[in-house]
Amino acid sequence: MFAGQVKCLQHELEAERALRRQEQEDTAQQLLRAEQQHHESLRLQGTAQQVEIKKLLDDLASERKRHRAEMQETLEQWEKEKAEREQEHKKVLFEMGQKVATLLAQQEELRRFESAQQEVMIVRGELL
């Protein structure tokens, strides 16, 4: 009977070992699945980060383009205003030049009139 008990205990021990091996395999499978899920999660996070980086770079490029366009528009507006002011200054200078010419002509005419008037007075003085 002792040999029967030993055999029974050996079967129980084998069954226990088989159960432990199965548990170890199950645990190893669970760890493998967890590792794969972790790798997949990291891959998805990396992909999401790459998408976010691309979006940020695209936004930055768009912002630069918009800023350059605004700067170009501002520059063109300043150049237009400068050209308009230069034209206005040329016009004012031309008008001032005409006024100076008119005043010089009037001074010359006044000088001739005074000179002619003096000659008339001299001639009158001689006649009297």
Side-chain angles (χ1 to χ4, degrees):
M1 189 143 128
F2 186 66
Q5 285 180 331
V6 169
K7 277 236 184 233
C8 185
L9 287 173
Q10 284 179 338
H11 283 308
E12 286 179 20
L13 184 59
E14 275 302 313
E16 189 65 32
R17 285 182 181 159
L19 181 63
R20 296 292 168 244
R21 276 194 299 268
Q22 186 60 45
E23 287 175 352
Q24 285 178 343
E25 288 177 15
D26 290 347
T27 302
Q29 287 295 323
Q30 288 175 351
L31 288 172
L32 182 61
R33 281 193 297 273
E35 184 180 8
Q36 289 171 343
Q37 288 174 349
H38 179 69
H39 285 298
E40 181 63 15
S41 175
L42 288 176
R43 186 189 68 75
L44 291 173
Q45 286 177 0
T47 301
Q49 287 174 349
Q50 290 298 321
V51 168
E52 182 66 19
I53 289 170
K54 183 180 182 331
K55 181 188 176 300
L56 291 172
L57 289 173
D58 289 346
D59 290 349
L60 179 61
S62 295
E63 184 63 24
R64 281 184 181 156
K65 185 177 180 181
R66 184 190 63 76
H67 182 68
R68 283 188 184 132
E70 285 178 4
M71 294 299 289
Q72 183 64 31
E73 184 179 327
T74 300
L75 179 62
E76 289 171 3
Q77 183 64 31
W78 285 349
E79 288 174 351
K80 180 181 175 186
E81 289 175 10
K82 178 184 170 199
E84 288 172 357
R85 287 192 179 131
E86 285 176 350
Q87 192 62 31
E88 289 172 9
H89 288 286
K90 285 180 184 178
K91 182 180 176 184
V92 167
L93 287 174
F94 177 75
E95 289 172 356
M96 290 175 94
Q98 286 184 322
K99 286 180 182 178
V100 167
T102 301
L103 288 173
L104 288 174
Q106 288 174 352
Q107 278 182 337
E108 181 61 28
E109 190 176 323
L110 181 60
R111 190 190 57 75
R112 277 192 243 142
F113 175 75
E114 288 173 350
S115 181
Q117 192 177 23
Q118 284 179 353
E119 283 182 33
V120 168
M121 292 181 88
I122 291 173
V123 171
R124 277 192 187 166
E126 290 177 5
L127 290 177
L128 292 175

